[in-house]
C-alpha cells in the first residue's frame, strides 16, 4: 500500500508524516497532479481557510485530480480542513464551492455561546456503534485534540463516525466506503490518535 499526503503548500505536514512513521506507515507527499497515479490511499490533512485552500489547490493543479480521486471512490483520509472541504460550502468563505462529496455546509461556532473560538484543545469524540472498525481498541468516548472555528453540519446522519459537543452538538467525524474524515487532529491526539490512524488505514485498505 502506497500512502500519499496531499501537500498544497499550507501548514506544517511534518507532524502528520511523523505520526504515520510511528505506526510503520511510510507516506510520500503529493505535490503534483501526476503524484496521484503513484498512491493507493490519499491523506488530506490541513489547517487554513476554506476559500484560500480551494484557490491554492486550483493554482497548484491539485483540485481537479482531488475531485477525480473522490468521485472515483478511491481511499481517502481527511483531517481537519481535509474534512471540511468535502462539503458543499462554508460560512468562512461565502461563494466558494467545496468538493461537494458530502451533503452539508460548514458553519461557524456561535460567538454568542460565550465559548472561546477557535475550539482549541482536548474534547471528546463519542463514537457511533456501527463504525466500530474505525475506533477499535479505543474507549467510548475518547479524548482527542481539536483546533477549529468552523464545524460541518452533516445532512446525512448515517455517515456519522463520532459526535462532539462545543456549545452545539456536531458530527466530528464521518466514515463510509473508502472514506474516513475527522475534524480533530489524530496526529496531535497522542496514542489514541495513532490507534485511530492504524484503524483508518486498515479500513481503507480492506477489499470487498
Amino acid at each position: 500500500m502506497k500512502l500519499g499526503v496531499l501537500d498544497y503548500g499550507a501548514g506544517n505536514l511534518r507532524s502528520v508524516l511523523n505520526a504515520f512513521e510511528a505506526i510503520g506507515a511510510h507516506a510520500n507527499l503529493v505535490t503534483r497532479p501526476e503524484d496521484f497515479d503513484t498512491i493507493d490511499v490519499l491523506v488530506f490533512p490541513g489547517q487554513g481557510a476554506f476559500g484560500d485552500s480551494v484557490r491554492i489547490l486550483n493554482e497548484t493543479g491539485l483540485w481537479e485530480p482531488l475531485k477525480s480521486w473522490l468521485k472515483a471512490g478511491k481511499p481517502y483520509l481527511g483531517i481537519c480542513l481535509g474534512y471540511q472541504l468535502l462539503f458543499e460550502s462554508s460560512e468562512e468563505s461565502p461563494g466558494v464551492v467545496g468538493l461537494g462529496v458530502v451533503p452539508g455546509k460548514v458553519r461557524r461556532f456561535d460567538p454568542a455561546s460565550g465559548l472561546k473560538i477557535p475550539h482549541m484543545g482536548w474534547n471528546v469524540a463519542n463514537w457511533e456503534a456501527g463504525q466500530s472498525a474505525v475506533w477499535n481498541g479505543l474507549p467510548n468516548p475518547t479524548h482527542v485534540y481539536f483546533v477549529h472555528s468552523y464545524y460541518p453540519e452533516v445532512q446525512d446522519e448515517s455517515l456519522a463516525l463520532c459526535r462532539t459537543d462545543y456549545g452545539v452538538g456536531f458530527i466530528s467525524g464521518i466514515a463510509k466506503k473508502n472514506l474516513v474524515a475527522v475534524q480533530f487532529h489524530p496526529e496531535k491526539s497522542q496514542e489514541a490518535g495513532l490507534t485511530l490512524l492504524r484503524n483508518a488505514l486498515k479500513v481503507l485498505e480492506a477489499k470487498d
Side-chain angles (χ1 to χ4, degrees), residues 88-122:
E88 297 162 327
S89 62
S90 173
E91 290 183 347
E92 183 177 21
S93 306
V96 176
V97 178
L99 291 163
V101 177
V102 181
K105 184 174 183 177
V106 179
R107 305 283 187 185
R108 190 173 194 272
F109 285 116
D110 184 1
S113 68
L115 295 170
K116 183 179 178 181
I117 301 173
H119 171 211
M120 181 182 298
W122 295 92

Side-chain angles (χ1 to χ4, degrees), residues 40-162:
D40 303 308
V41 177
L42 177 66
V43 181
F44 186 171
Q47 297 173 339
F50 190 98
D52 287 345
S53 302
V54 172
R55 175 182 56 79
I56 293 169
L57 286 164
N58 272 298
E59 290 174 352
T60 55
L62 297 173
W63 182 252
E64 290 302 324
L66 173 58
K67 287 175 64 177
S68 296
W69 183 276
L70 289 162
K71 185 177 181 179
K74 295 181 179 179
Y76 176 92
L77 173 59
I79 297 171
C80 193
L81 184 64
Y83 177 32
Q84 293 189 0
L85 281 177
L86 293 174
F87 294 84
E88 297 162 327
S89 62
S90 173
E91 290 183 347
E92 183 177 21
S93 306
V96 176
V97 178
L99 291 163
V101 177
V102 181
K105 184 174 183 177
V106 179
R107 305 283 187 185
R108 190 173 194 272
F109 285 116
D110 184 1
S113 68
L115 295 170
K116 183 179 178 181
I117 301 173
H119 171 211
M120 181 182 298
W122 295 92
N123 202 341
V124 295
N126 295 283
W127 304 108
E128 293 287 326
Q131 303 279 17
S132 59
V134 183
W135 56 276
N136 182 45
L138 292 172
N140 192 8
T142 298
H143 283 84
V144 289
Y145 194 86
F146 290 84
V147 183
H148 63 123
S149 299
Y150 298 81
Y151 65 94
E153 189 175 74
V154 184
Q155 291 183 8
D156 186 352
E157 294 273 333
S158 71
L159 297 176
L161 165 65
C162 54

Side-chain angles (χ1 to χ4, degrees), residues 162-197:
C162 54
R163 300 172 189 268
T164 299
D165 187 89
Y166 192 69
V168 61
F170 65 98
I171 293 176
S172 50
I174 59 173
K176 63 176 184 175
K177 179 177 171 58
N178 285 341
L179 186 147
V180 175
V182 294
Q183 180 61 67
F184 54 87
H185 289 268
E187 77 279 7
K188 298 180 180 178
S189 299
Q190 300 179 359
E191 188 56 42
L194 296 181
T195 297
L196 185 75
L197 290 178

